Amino acid sequence: MSRIGLVLGGGGIVGMAYHGAVLAGIEAATGWDPRDAEVVVGTSAGSASGAELRAGVSAGDMAARRAGTPFSLDGERMLVALGPPPQVRPTEVEVDADRARAAFRRLALRSQLDPGSVPPGVLTSVAMSPGNVSASWLTRQVEWLNGGTDWPERDFWPCAVDLDDGSRAVFGRPGEPAAEPGQAVAASCAIPGVFAPVEINGRLYIDGGGWSPTNADVLADLGLDLVIVVSPMSAVPGCTLERQDFTVRRACRSLLVQEAAAVRDSGTPVVIVEPVEADLRVMGRLIGIDVLDEGRCDAVVEQVTASTIARVRDGSLAGFGKLPVAQLLAA
């Protein structure tokens, strides 16, 4: 098994803790290093996690960063080499609200004239935009991690939505709009109603979660040996959830299943990793502020790492066709 695609979905700071814990658990149970992924697709928080991986941060150190526990020796050496992180805090900026309103009117009209042409999440996101908090601090963080503005040697594809026309941008993929990786991550994380749209070469971009929380379908038809999707915003079927949370997680899972089917139909096996009920108890709800609650991250890392290791080892974490992930990674 040599060509593995990795998809990291949205989910706030708790979602980033989930990414690190899942990847650390998979590595502990199988020996596969997520930094070896052929291509990493990131959406919203997943793009920030993907940037860490592509900068060379190990899965274990991603988890440690979220849990507030010590890094590995290699991780400590990396931090020393990088130097002090940038001291940049979110600031409010002026935004062109008229442009956002005009974009919503265009997309709403298009959706009426051509039903299905505008994803509901895109229409909702554009309606909520713009926020007025600058996401430039994310740009600086990525530049610090990567040592500049060059793209990583291995493929990294942050996903965002073009505010003006509602299209999906997969930055870093050949033929897509040009951007620096820090700009792309900031755009992918530009949560509607909170962050100002990110301007790149005259276009405005917002959170890629409006198109899909995972965007896994961009890995169809690439001839990969396996795609692993880490999806903090969905849930394993049968979990007990509050009504609002159930509705959102079910919608996220429905999109994900469709995307995974497209990848599978192109000949690539897919493994979906999403929270089980014990994971959800420490992660909290999607509705409200739980996904942004850093105080949950240490418990999330502990619980999800353990549950992922157990699911890999007992074979319950499997791909389409029910082949256990350990067998897929060893194939």
Side-chain angles (χ1 to χ4, degrees):
M1 184 68 65
S2 58
R3 302 187 67 237
I4 299 173
L6 179 61
V7 176
L8 302 175
I13 191 68
V14 168
M16 294 182 72
Y18 187 82
H19 297 145
V22 166
L23 296 178
I26 289 176
E27 183 169 8
T30 69
W32 177 68
D33 188 335
R35 291 173 293 185
D36 292 334
E38 182 81 4
V39 55
V40 175
V41 175
T43 301
S44 198
S47 69
S49 292
E52 291 183 355
L53 270 182
R54 282 311 195 218
V57 180
S58 70
D61 285 335
M62 286 174 64
R65 184 181 184 190
R66 301 279 84 84
T69 54
F71 278 28
S72 66
L73 289 178
D74 285 343
E76 290 288 352
R77 293 188 190 102
M78 179 181 177
L79 284 177
V80 170
L82 287 172
Q87 300 299 312
V88 181
R89 297 185 180 278
T91 57
E92 293 185 359
V93 295
E94 291 188 12
V95 296
D96 189 347
D98 289 339
R99 183 170 172 178
R101 285 192 286 266
F104 173 72
R105 289 193 295 269
R106 285 195 302 274
L107 293 173
L109 178 61
R110 188 203 305 171
S111 68
Q112 291 173 3
L113 297 176
D114 185 11
S117 62
V118 182
V122 169
L123 196 59
T124 302
S125 294
V126 174
M128 292 173 62
S129 290
N132 66 349
V133 177
S134 172
S136 61
W137 62 277
L138 276 166
T139 303
R140 303 285 86 79
Q141 285 282 339
V142 174
E143 290 173 351
W144 170 69
L145 274 174
N146 285 277
T149 59
D150 292 336
W151 281 88
E153 291 185 6
R154 307 193 78 166
D155 283 336
F156 172 43
W157 296 353
C159 298
V161 170
D162 186 308
L163 176 72
D164 290 305
D165 65 14
S167 63
R168 175 172 63 183
V170 186
F171 294 110
R173 185 171 69 171
E176 296 283 339
E180 296 172 357
Q183 293 175 320
V185 170
S188 184
C189 293
I191 302 170
V194 178
F195 289 111
V198 175
E199 183 172 355
I200 304 174
N201 298 321
R203 306 294 294 183
L204 294 179
Y205 296 94
I206 58 176
D207 196 310
W211 188 278
S212 162
T214 43
N215 291 291
D217 57 307
V218 303
L219 295 185
D221 300 310
L222 295 185
L224 297 170
D225 298 307
L226 173 67
V227 166
I228 299 173
V229 185
V230 184
S231 175
M233 293 183 66
S234 59
V236 170
C239 291
T240 303
L241 298 166
E242 292 184 10
R243 184 179 181 84
Q244 283 185 309
D245 218 43
F246 173 80
T247 300
V248 175
R249 289 191 182 275
R250 182 176 61 179
C252 292
R253 190 170 204 277
S254 178
L255 275 173
L256 173 54
V257 168
Q258 293 175 47
E259 294 165 3
V263 176
R264 179 196 59 186
D265 290 347
S266 74
T268 298
V270 180
V271 170
I272 295 175
V273 190
E274 53 194 339
V276 296
E277 188 149 351
D279 299 339
L280 293 172
R281 283 197 290 270
V282 294
M283 293 173 71
R285 300 171 300 164
L286 288 175
I287 305 300
I289 62 172
D290 287 354
V291 295
L292 301 177
D293 183 0
E294 291 189 63
R296 293 179 174 272
C297 289
D298 54 348
V300 169
V301 167
E302 181 179 4
Q303 162 60 35
V304 175
T305 302
S307 70
T308 302
I309 292 172
R311 292 165 71 190
V312 172
R313 289 179 174 169
D314 69 16
S316 61
L317 186 58
F320 281 96
K322 303 302 181 183
L323 190 62
V325 65
Q327 288 183 241
L328 287 166
L329 287 169

